[in-house]
Amino acid sequence: MRPLRYSINVTLDGCCHHEAGLPPDEESMRHWTAEMERADALLFGRVTYEMMELAWRKPATGTWPDWMNEWQIPFAETIDRAKKYVVSSTLSGVDWNAELVRGDLGQAVQLLKQEPGEGLWVGGVTLPLALADLGLIDEYEFLVQPVLAGHGPTLLAGLRERIQLVLVDRHAFRSGAIALRYRPTRAPA
């Protein structure tokens, strides 16, 4: 069974808005590129899918936009070509190498996890909360930013049950950010 990994940037005070932390730098983009490369497919909710597509889908011209730094291109290429599953009850269709996931979330994700491969990656805020509540996340990675946001959505706000985690890896970045990787101590669903 392939594991489901959840990764997200989060500030020291728990804010997980995508603009609340430090701006991406070369080191963090290498890290996120490696995370994407470890996954057979990406799992997004509608909001995260649309945000990622807007930022990282290769333009029809075949040329990356001028605003993109050279060190961002490996991440852009990796996410652009990745297989994507989009959980949404409001979208009528998706493209960008994506497929809609409908129906019972728990059953659908269990089926995806049962396929052969190295793993699935999920990002975002709302979908990971639902997956955590269902006990479907096998690994959590928080890229903790040395920032106090003082506002915004907070990490896994509204979680129904406490989830005990065990630290399995950590990596400090030159920026002061720290990647902390955890696994639940209880058996995932």
Side-chain angles (χ1 to χ4, degrees):
M1 185 177 292
R2 49 185 185 174
L4 177 59
R5 299 178 185 105
Y6 173 43
S7 297
I8 192 165
N9 286 301
V10 62
T11 63
L12 283 168
D13 58 347
C15 179
C16 51
H17 187 276
H18 71 280
E19 294 177 341
L22 300 175
D25 61 11
E26 288 185 55
E27 187 179 26
S28 66
M29 289 304 278
R30 275 194 309 274
H31 173 80
W32 288 119
T33 301
E35 285 302 301
M36 297 291 119
E37 289 173 341
R38 298 195 314 141
D40 303 309
L42 313 178
L43 184 61
F44 293 137
R46 180 191 56 81
V47 172
T48 303
Y49 169 75
E50 289 176 342
M51 183 177 65
M52 293 297 214
E53 182 182 28
L54 185 64
W56 303 111
R57 184 175 190 158
K58 193 167 202 169
T61 63
T63 304
W64 293 107
D66 290 339
W67 63 261
M68 194 175 291
N69 293 310
E70 189 69 30
W71 49 266
Q72 292 174 307
I73 292 175
F75 176 83
E77 289 175 340
T78 300
I79 196 168
D80 184 62
R81 72 175 167 259
K83 172 69 178 166
K84 298 159 196 78
Y85 294 98
V86 183
V87 177
S88 174
S89 60
T90 58
L91 291 174
S92 59
V94 292
D95 58 3
W96 194 39
N97 197 26
E99 180 178 319
L100 274 175
V101 174
R102 299 217 191 253
D104 182 270
L105 177 63
Q107 287 178 342
V109 172
Q110 277 290 20
L111 289 173
L112 291 174
K113 288 177 70 170
Q114 289 172 6
E115 292 178 11
E118 297 301 312
L120 300 166
W121 183 92
V122 65
V125 178
T126 306
L127 177 59
L129 173 60
L131 295 169
D133 275 337
L134 291 169
L136 292 171
I137 298 177
D138 302 294
E139 192 172 277
Y140 294 81
E141 182 188 43
F142 306 118
L143 188 54
V144 182
Q145 305 284 322
V147 173
L148 297 171
H151 63 83
T154 54
L155 184 65
L156 298 169
L159 192 62
R160 288 192 305 235
E161 264 182 51
R162 174 185 156 143
I163 299 173
Q164 185 70 37
L165 303 172
V166 60
L167 181 67
V168 294
D169 192 28
R170 71 177 140 236
H171 174 76
F173 293 83
R174 289 185 303 272
S175 66
I178 300 174
L180 300 169
R181 190 179 312 266
Y182 296 92
R183 290 197 184 111
T185 56
R186 62 177 166 73

PDB file of all heavy atoms in Angstrom, residues 90-111:
ATOM      1  N   THR A  90     -17.754  20.489  -6.848  1.00  0.00           N
ATOM      2  CA  THR A  90     -18.217  21.643  -7.622  1.00  0.00           C
ATOM      3  C   THR A  90     -17.609  21.734  -9.019  1.00  0.00           C
ATOM      4  O   THR A  90     -18.229  22.329  -9.896  1.00  0.00           O
ATOM      5  CB  THR A  90     -17.933  22.957  -6.866  1.00  0.00           C
ATOM      6  OG1 THR A  90     -16.531  23.049  -6.617  1.00  0.00           O
ATOM      7  CG2 THR A  90     -18.692  23.003  -5.543  1.00  0.00           C
ATOM      8  N   LEU A  91     -16.437  21.183  -9.229  1.00  0.00           N
ATOM      9  CA  LEU A  91     -15.842  21.220 -10.563  1.00  0.00           C
ATOM     10  C   LEU A  91     -16.522  20.200 -11.464  1.00  0.00           C
ATOM     11  O   LEU A  91     -16.803  19.081 -11.039  1.00  0.00           O
ATOM     12  CB  LEU A  91     -14.337  20.920 -10.500  1.00  0.00           C
ATOM     13  CG  LEU A  91     -13.448  21.967  -9.848  1.00  0.00           C
ATOM     14  CD1 LEU A  91     -12.019  21.460  -9.734  1.00  0.00           C
ATOM     15  CD2 LEU A  91     -13.488  23.271 -10.628  1.00  0.00           C
ATOM     16  N   SER A  92     -16.754  20.578 -12.708  1.00  0.00           N
ATOM     17  CA  SER A  92     -17.366  19.634 -13.653  1.00  0.00           C
ATOM     18  C   SER A  92     -16.298  18.869 -14.424  1.00  0.00           C
ATOM     19  O   SER A  92     -16.578  17.825 -15.002  1.00  0.00           O
ATOM     20  CB  SER A  92     -18.294  20.369 -14.620  1.00  0.00           C
ATOM     21  OG  SER A  92     -17.571  21.355 -15.331  1.00  0.00           O
ATOM     22  N   GLY A  93     -15.088  19.375 -14.431  1.00  0.00           N
ATOM     23  CA  GLY A  93     -14.001  18.694 -15.116  1.00  0.00           C
ATOM     24  C   GLY A  93     -12.670  19.315 -14.753  1.00  0.00           C
ATOM     25  O   GLY A  93     -12.618  20.443 -14.245  1.00  0.00           O
ATOM     26  N   VAL A  94     -11.603  18.578 -14.982  1.00  0.00           N
ATOM     27  CA  VAL A  94     -10.234  19.053 -14.746  1.00  0.00           C
ATOM     28  C   VAL A  94      -9.366  18.584 -15.900  1.00  0.00           C
ATOM     29  O   VAL A  94      -9.710  17.647 -16.616  1.00  0.00           O
ATOM     30  CB  VAL A  94      -9.659  18.534 -13.401  1.00  0.00           C
ATOM     31  CG1 VAL A  94     -10.371  19.156 -12.219  1.00  0.00           C
ATOM     32  CG2 VAL A  94      -9.721  17.018 -13.317  1.00  0.00           C
ATOM     33  N   ASP A  95      -8.255  19.247 -16.072  1.00  0.00           N
ATOM     34  CA  ASP A  95      -7.247  18.773 -17.014  1.00  0.00           C
ATOM     35  C   ASP A  95      -5.898  18.928 -16.303  1.00  0.00           C
ATOM     36  O   ASP A  95      -5.833  18.741 -15.108  1.00  0.00           O
ATOM     37  CB  ASP A  95      -7.339  19.484 -18.372  1.00  0.00           C
ATOM     38  CG  ASP A  95      -7.187  20.996 -18.288  1.00  0.00           C
ATOM     39  OD1 ASP A  95      -6.946  21.528 -17.189  1.00  0.00           O
ATOM     40  OD2 ASP A  95      -7.302  21.647 -19.323  1.00  0.00           O
ATOM     41  N   TRP A  96      -4.851  19.290 -16.963  1.00  0.00           N
ATOM     42  CA  TRP A  96      -3.526  19.428 -16.364  1.00  0.00           C
ATOM     43  C   TRP A  96      -3.084  18.093 -15.738  1.00  0.00           C
ATOM     44  O   TRP A  96      -2.620  18.030 -14.626  1.00  0.00           O
ATOM     45  CB  TRP A  96      -3.497  20.576 -15.346  1.00  0.00           C
ATOM     46  CG  TRP A  96      -2.126  21.019 -14.905  1.00  0.00           C
ATOM     47  CD1 TRP A  96      -1.000  21.142 -15.665  1.00  0.00           C
ATOM     48  CD2 TRP A  96      -1.745  21.423 -13.580  1.00  0.00           C
ATOM     49  NE1 TRP A  96       0.036  21.590 -14.905  1.00  0.00           N
ATOM     50  CE2 TRP A  96      -0.380  21.775 -13.622  1.00  0.00           C
ATOM     51  CE3 TRP A  96      -2.415  21.512 -12.379  1.00  0.00           C
ATOM     52  CZ2 TRP A  96       0.321  22.218 -12.511  1.00  0.00           C
ATOM     53  CZ3 TRP A  96      -1.727  21.956 -11.274  1.00  0.00           C
ATOM     54  CH2 TRP A  96      -0.367  22.308 -11.339  1.00  0.00           C
ATOM     55  N   ASN A  97      -3.283  17.031 -16.525  1.00  0.00           N
ATOM     56  CA  ASN A  97      -2.912  15.683 -16.098  1.00  0.00           C
ATOM     57  C   ASN A  97      -3.630  15.301 -14.799  1.00  0.00           C
ATOM     58  O   ASN A  97      -3.050  14.693 -13.909  1.00  0.00           O
ATOM     59  CB  ASN A  97      -1.392  15.554 -15.936  1.00  0.00           C
ATOM     60  CG  ASN A  97      -0.927  14.117 -15.905  1.00  0.00           C
ATOM     61  OD1 ASN A  97      -1.572  13.229 -16.456  1.00  0.00           O
ATOM     62  ND2 ASN A  97       0.182  13.864 -15.238  1.00  0.00           N
ATOM     63  N   ALA A  98      -4.903  15.690 -14.724  1.00  0.00           N
ATOM     64  CA  ALA A  98      -5.672  15.493 -13.494  1.00  0.00           C
ATOM     65  C   ALA A  98      -6.939  14.688 -13.755  1.00  0.00           C
ATOM     66  O   ALA A  98      -7.422  14.599 -14.880  1.00  0.00           O
ATOM     67  CB  ALA A  98      -6.028  16.842 -12.882  1.00  0.00           C
ATOM     68  N   GLU A  99      -7.442  14.147 -12.662  1.00  0.00           N
ATOM     69  CA  GLU A  99      -8.666  13.343 -12.689  1.00  0.00           C
ATOM     70  C   GLU A  99      -9.486  13.724 -11.457  1.00  0.00           C
ATOM     71  O   GLU A  99      -8.934  13.886 -10.370  1.00  0.00           O
ATOM     72  CB  GLU A  99      -8.217  11.877 -12.626  1.00  0.00           C
ATOM     73  CG  GLU A  99      -9.252  10.848 -12.640  1.00  0.00           C
ATOM     74  CD  GLU A  99      -8.607   9.454 -12.621  1.00  0.00           C
ATOM     75  OE1 GLU A  99      -7.587   9.232 -13.306  1.00  0.00           O
ATOM     76  OE2 GLU A  99      -9.142   8.611 -11.889  1.00  0.00           O
ATOM     77  N   LEU A 100     -10.802  13.869 -11.658  1.00  0.00           N
ATOM     78  CA  LEU A 100     -11.677  14.195 -10.535  1.00  0.00           C
ATOM     79  C   LEU A 100     -11.901  12.988  -9.643  1.00  0.00           C
ATOM     80  O   LEU A 100     -12.020  11.861 -10.130  1.00  0.00           O
ATOM     81  CB  LEU A 100     -13.037  14.676 -11.037  1.00  0.00           C
ATOM     82  CG  LEU A 100     -13.160  16.157 -11.366  1.00  0.00           C
ATOM     83  CD1 LEU A 100     -14.532  16.448 -11.970  1.00  0.00           C
ATOM     84  CD2 LEU A 100     -12.922  17.025 -10.148  1.00  0.00           C
ATOM     85  N   VAL A 101     -11.954  13.234  -8.344  1.00  0.00           N
ATOM     86  CA  VAL A 101     -12.293  12.206  -7.360  1.00  0.00           C
ATOM     87  C   VAL A 101     -13.636  12.609  -6.768  1.00  0.00           C
ATOM     88  O   VAL A 101     -13.784  13.709  -6.243  1.00  0.00           O
ATOM     89  CB  VAL A 101     -11.220  12.120  -6.244  1.00  0.00           C
ATOM     90  CG1 VAL A 101     -11.647  11.155  -5.157  1.00  0.00           C
ATOM     91  CG2 VAL A 101      -9.876  11.742  -6.823  1.00  0.00           C
ATOM     92  N   ARG A 102     -14.613  11.731  -6.885  1.00  0.00           N
ATOM     93  CA  ARG A 102     -15.961  12.014  -6.391  1.00  0.00           C
ATOM     94  C   ARG A 102     -16.424  10.875  -5.495  1.00  0.00           C
ATOM     95  O   ARG A 102     -15.806   9.828  -5.443  1.00  0.00           O
ATOM     96  CB  ARG A 102     -16.920  12.151  -7.559  1.00  0.00           C
ATOM     97  CG  ARG A 102     -16.558  13.283  -8.499  1.00  0.00           C
ATOM     98  CD  ARG A 102     -17.795  13.934  -8.993  1.00  0.00           C
ATOM     99  NE  ARG A 102     -17.549  14.842 -10.066  1.00  0.00           N
ATOM    100  CZ  ARG A 102     -17.595  16.159  -9.934  1.00  0.00           C
ATOM    101  NH1 ARG A 102     -17.869  16.694  -8.779  1.00  0.00           N
ATOM    102  NH2 ARG A 102     -17.384  16.937 -10.963  1.00  0.00           N
ATOM    103  N   GLY A 103     -17.515  11.100  -4.820  1.00  0.00           N
ATOM    104  CA  GLY A 103     -18.086  10.057  -3.978  1.00  0.00           C
ATOM    105  C   GLY A 103     -17.494  10.075  -2.588  1.00  0.00           C
ATOM    106  O   GLY A 103     -17.004  11.100  -2.111  1.00  0.00           O
ATOM    107  N   ASP A 104     -17.515   8.920  -1.954  1.00  0.00           N
ATOM    108  CA  ASP A 104     -17.033   8.785  -0.583  1.00  0.00           C
ATOM    109  C   ASP A 104     -15.517   9.011  -0.540  1.00  0.00           C
ATOM    110  O   ASP A 104     -14.752   8.247  -1.135  1.00  0.00           O
ATOM    111  CB  ASP A 104     -17.392   7.398  -0.050  1.00  0.00           C
ATOM    112  CG  ASP A 104     -16.957   7.218   1.377  1.00  0.00           C
ATOM    113  OD1 ASP A 104     -15.805   6.760   1.589  1.00  0.00           O
ATOM    114  OD2 ASP A 104     -17.753   7.521   2.278  1.00  0.00           O
ATOM    115  N   LEU A 105     -15.096  10.057   0.170  1.00  0.00           N
ATOM    116  CA  LEU A 105     -13.681  10.427   0.226  1.00  0.00           C
ATOM    117  C   LEU A 105     -12.827   9.296   0.776  1.00  0.00           C
ATOM    118  O   LEU A 105     -11.786   8.958   0.209  1.00  0.00           O
ATOM    119  CB  LEU A 105     -13.490  11.694   1.067  1.00  0.00           C
ATOM    120  CG  LEU A 105     -12.043  12.158   1.257  1.00  0.00           C
ATOM    121  CD1 LEU A 105     -11.410  12.531  -0.079  1.00  0.00           C
ATOM    122  CD2 LEU A 105     -11.991  13.325   2.237  1.00  0.00           C
ATOM    123  N   GLY A 106     -13.252   8.702   1.893  1.00  0.00           N
ATOM    124  CA  GLY A 106     -12.465   7.633   2.504  1.00  0.00           C
ATOM    125  C   GLY A 106     -12.258   6.459   1.566  1.00  0.00           C
ATOM    126  O   GLY A 106     -11.144   5.962   1.416  1.00  0.00           O
ATOM    127  N   GLN A 107     -13.318   6.010   0.919  1.00  0.00           N
ATOM    128  CA  GLN A 107     -13.212   4.880  -0.014  1.00  0.00           C
ATOM    129  C   GLN A 107     -12.336   5.235  -1.203  1.00  0.00           C
ATOM    130  O   GLN A 107     -11.497   4.426  -1.623  1.00  0.00           O
ATOM    131  CB  GLN A 107     -14.593   4.460  -0.505  1.00  0.00           C
ATOM    132  CG  GLN A 107     -15.422   3.743   0.520  1.00  0.00           C
ATOM    133  CD  GLN A 107     -16.804   3.397  -0.023  1.00  0.00           C
ATOM    134  OE1 GLN A 107     -17.270   3.956  -1.008  1.00  0.00           O
ATOM    135  NE2 GLN A 107     -17.459   2.445   0.637  1.00  0.00           N
ATOM    136  N   ALA A 108     -12.525   6.432  -1.754  1.00  0.00           N
ATOM    137  CA  ALA A 108     -11.757   6.840  -2.926  1.00  0.00           C
ATOM    138  C   ALA A 108     -10.264   6.890  -2.622  1.00  0.00           C
ATOM    139  O   ALA A 108      -9.439   6.402  -3.410  1.00  0.00           O
ATOM    140  CB  ALA A 108     -12.249   8.192  -3.426  1.00  0.00           C
ATOM    141  N   VAL A 109      -9.911   7.466  -1.474  1.00  0.00           N
ATOM    142  CA  VAL A 109      -8.491   7.587  -1.130  1.00  0.00           C
ATOM    143  C   VAL A 109      -7.911   6.222  -0.767  1.00  0.00           C
ATOM    144  O   VAL A 109      -6.766   5.917  -1.121  1.00  0.00           O
ATOM    145  CB  VAL A 109      -8.282   8.639  -0.018  1.00  0.00           C
ATOM    146  CG1 VAL A 109      -6.847   8.636   0.482  1.00  0.00           C
ATOM    147  CG2 VAL A 109      -8.662  10.024  -0.537  1.00  0.00           C
ATOM    148  N   GLN A 110      -8.681   5.378  -0.113  1.00  0.00           N
ATOM    149  CA  GLN A 110      -8.200   4.009   0.172  1.00  0.00           C
ATOM    150  C   GLN A 110      -7.869   3.290  -1.130  1.00  0.00           C
ATOM    151  O   GLN A 110      -6.856   2.598  -1.215  1.00  0.00           O
ATOM    152  CB  GLN A 110      -9.251   3.207   0.950  1.00  0.00           C
ATOM    153  CG  GLN A 110      -9.226   3.456   2.423  1.00  0.00           C
ATOM    154  CD  GLN A 110      -7.992   2.871   3.111  1.00  0.00           C
ATOM    155  OE1 GLN A 110      -6.956   2.578   2.518  1.00  0.00           O
ATOM    156  NE2 GLN A 110      -8.089   2.708   4.407  1.00  0.00           N
ATOM    157  N   LEU A 111      -8.715   3.433  -2.142  1.00  0.00           N
ATOM    158  CA  LEU A 111      -8.443   2.801  -3.441  1.00  0.00           C
ATOM    159  C   LEU A 111      -7.159   3.343  -4.057  1.00  0.00           C
ATOM    160  O   LEU A 111      -6.356   2.578  -4.602  1.00  0.00           O
ATOM    161  CB  LEU A 111      -9.620   2.995  -4.395  1.00  0.00           C
ATOM    162  CG  LEU A 111     -10.870   2.192  -4.069  1.00  0.00           C
ATOM    163  CD1 LEU A 111     -12.025   2.589  -4.991  1.00  0.00           C
ATOM    164  CD2 LEU A 111     -10.598   0.693  -4.176  1.00  0.00           C
TER     165      LEU A 111
END
